[in-house]
Amino acid sequence: MLIIINFSFSQTKTINGIIKDITTLLPVESVSISLDGSNIGTISNDEGKFKITLPENTTVIKFSHLYYKLENYTVKQNETNIEIFLEPKAYVLDAVIINQKPANKMLIEAVDASKNKLEKSLLLNTYYREFINVDGKYTNFSEGIIDYYIKRKSGASDLYVKQSRTFNLKDENASEREKAIGSFNLNDVRKAVSNGYRFNIINQILKSDNYYFSSETKSEPGGGSIEIITIEPKENIEKEMIYVGTVTYDSKTKLILDINIRFSPEHKKYSELHNILIVKVKFNDIVRRASFKIDGDNYVMIYSQVKTNVYLKFGKKIDNTFESMCDITTLDYKEGKFDLDKSKRYNNYSLFTNGNNYTEEFWKKYNIILLNDSEEKIIKSLK
């Protein structure tokens, strides 16, 4: 028996807004936006824009970001469009840092603490989207509302696709592109959340001898601090798939708050062509980003992004560079035990397989990541 977890609420008004840095007046992306007394949330896009629907009797919207002060905004009665200005946190880089452990050991502790914090199972109600670009031209787009059941301790996940829609550019090579993507799996929707909770990319780096790790502590004048672990390749490493980036975690709880890792630009020249089943593949770039928040006693992934750029040679018709970008944001979550019908799990690697399968215009109704202007043009070109 499948228990349907109802994340819907009585809706009174939808708020559209933009978030800016109060000093520079530039838009602030990836701001976590939530409602007072509720787990409902979304994030701002790369233009700082957002949309969120307020349930009945809810008026306070909370805006939080790792590098900005928390802002609570009370929506006025007739307000539907708002402009939010966030004040940067006054972090101070400690002049003298004495760590008893090397930075890689500190990172191991943070990964362990973050995994162990998953003491109860979570059911995340999420919005997922994916763009595919072939040789600079967008060919595919998919989006959906997906429930991810995150298993306690392990971080493994099952998913249940509630609604989805897709757009595919139809031309003479469309079917060959789909076969190539299917043979290689540019991004696996089944792993979109578990990759975050299991910290796969960090563990891969920690197991390698190819990296230097350094740490710095940033403190706020009023208390509280964060640790930033920087990952860099060692000298004279002439290998492909070498990463650079940072992992930020809360100094007190050791819980990871931000992951920003990608291929080292200096090492992309070492990428080689590989035979994977019937596809020839060369990895050009991989980007992994994820954000988490400490919500009371809960630890929740609020956003994850994966970008993959590969060259694929498949048969006689595919000799192209493919780029996939997928984003996932948590709209709502529940903690506890759930009796789910596993026969209804979604077992395909791609959301494209689910096709247009929706009962409402969820992209207008739900608190999704808003498309920016260029993304809107992409969707229109594929319709």
Side-chain angles (χ1 to χ4, degrees), residues 171-184:
D171 55 32
E172 60 179 355
N173 293 325
S175 61
E176 293 299 319
R177 287 198 303 268
E178 291 174 6
K179 289 179 184 177
I181 294 169
S183 298
F184 177 67

Side-chain angles (χ1 to χ4, degrees), residues 117-133:
K117 185 60 178 175
L118 194 60
E119 298 169 347
K120 296 181 181 179
S121 297
L122 288 173
L123 194 63
L124 301 187
N125 176 229
T126 72
Y127 168 71
Y128 174 96
R129 69 176 187 179
E130 181 174 3
F131 291 92
I132 293 179
N133 178 307

Side-chain angles (χ1 to χ4, degrees), residues 5 32 82 158 178 224 241 250 265 279 291 307 317 345 358:
I5 306 298
S32 175
I82 61 177
D158 293 333
E178 291 174 6
M241 298 183 71
D250 180 77
V279 183
S291 300
K307 291 183 181 179
K317 291 190 176 182
R345 287 180 300 182
Y358 54 87

Side-chain angles (χ1 to χ4, degrees), residues 308-326:
T308 305
N309 185 296
V310 298
Y311 163 77
L312 296 181
K313 173 91 170 122
F314 180 80
K316 296 181 179 180
K317 291 190 176 182
I318 294 299
D319 186 6
N320 308 94
T321 297
F322 287 70
E323 183 171 80
S324 170
M325 182 189 76
C326 71

Side-chain angles (χ1 to χ4, degrees), residues 30-43:
S30 301
V31 176
S32 175
I33 303 156
S34 58
L35 302 179
D36 193 38
S38 169
N39 295 332
I40 297 174
T42 186
I43 65 168

Side-chain angles (χ1 to χ4, degrees), residues 113-220:
S114 301
K115 284 184 175 180
N116 291 335
K117 185 60 178 175
L118 194 60
E119 298 169 347
K120 296 181 181 179
S121 297
L122 288 173
L123 194 63
L124 301 187
N125 176 229
T126 72
Y127 168 71
Y128 174 96
R129 69 176 187 179
E130 181 174 3
F131 291 92
I132 293 179
N133 178 307
V134 181
D135 292 339
K137 183 177 183 179
Y138 286 92
T139 61
N140 305 75
F141 171 74
S142 69
E143 64 180 347
I145 303 298
I146 303 176
D147 284 351
Y148 283 89
Y149 167 59
I150 314 298
K151 300 173 184 178
R152 61 183 296 273
K153 298 299 183 184
S154 73
S157 62
D158 293 333
L159 67 155
Y160 299 83
V161 177
K162 301 171 73 173
Q163 301 190 68
S164 67
R165 72 166 178 166
T166 63
F167 297 103
N168 301 284
L169 183 64
K170 298 300 180 184
D171 55 32
E172 60 179 355
N173 293 325
S175 61
E176 293 299 319
R177 287 198 303 268
E178 291 174 6
K179 289 179 184 177
I181 294 169
S183 298
F184 177 67
N185 293 4
L186 287 179
N187 279 310
D188 194 332
V189 66
R190 297 168 299 183
K191 298 178 180 178
V193 168
S194 63
N195 278 339
Y197 275 99
R198 302 180 90 171
F199 306 102
N200 293 342
I201 189 69
I202 301 176
N203 287 324
Q204 178 185 336
I205 291 170
L206 284 168
K207 291 177 182 178
S208 172
D209 293 326
N210 296 325
Y211 299 97
Y212 289 124
F213 300 86
S214 59
S215 67
E216 62 180 14
T217 304
K218 288 190 175 182
S219 302
E220 294 183 74

